[in-house]
Amino acid sequence: YNPLAALLFNALSTVFNMLMSKAIILSPFSLLAYFCIWYPFTIWTYGTNIPAGLFVSGILIGCSYGRLFGQILQQYISSDISP
């Protein structure tokens, strides 16, 4: 089981459920790599004039960044935070 592969190769609805679940442990590296891969794709797609489902991409980028931020806060500030 590779968390980064699970994030990249599953359906977007499954990835959303993985990012929102407390039961699935994702490393900060996996979250950062996922964010760094999807963010340029989404920015590039925003520049085109084709309907490409940008709403879901924006949600997934926000979920990955938010969970990464929550894990950083939990590790360095307080262990009471639940990302």
Side-chain angles (χ1 to χ4, degrees):
Y1 173 75
N2 184 346
L4 182 57
L7 288 173
L8 291 174
F9 296 121
N10 278 327
L12 297 180
S13 61
T14 305
V15 172
F16 179 73
N17 289 335
M18 288 176 62
L19 289 171
M20 298 301 285
S21 174
K22 292 181 183 180
I24 297 175
I25 298 171
L26 298 168
S27 70
F29 173 75
S30 296
L31 292 170
L32 183 63
Y34 182 77
F35 177 80
C36 289
I37 290 170
W38 270 96
Y39 188 70
F41 286 147
T42 304
I43 288 178
W44 180 63
T45 307
Y46 270 114
T48 62
N49 287 328
I50 57 171
L54 296 173
F55 184 71
V56 175
S57 298
I59 288 175
L60 290 176
I61 288 171
C63 285
S64 63
Y65 185 74
R67 184 150 179 180
L68 177 65
F69 186 72
Q71 286 182 355
I72 290 170
L73 286 178
Q74 182 183 29
Q75 186 173 6
Y76 293 111
I77 294 179
S78 174
S79 61
D80 296 334
I81 298 171
S82 178

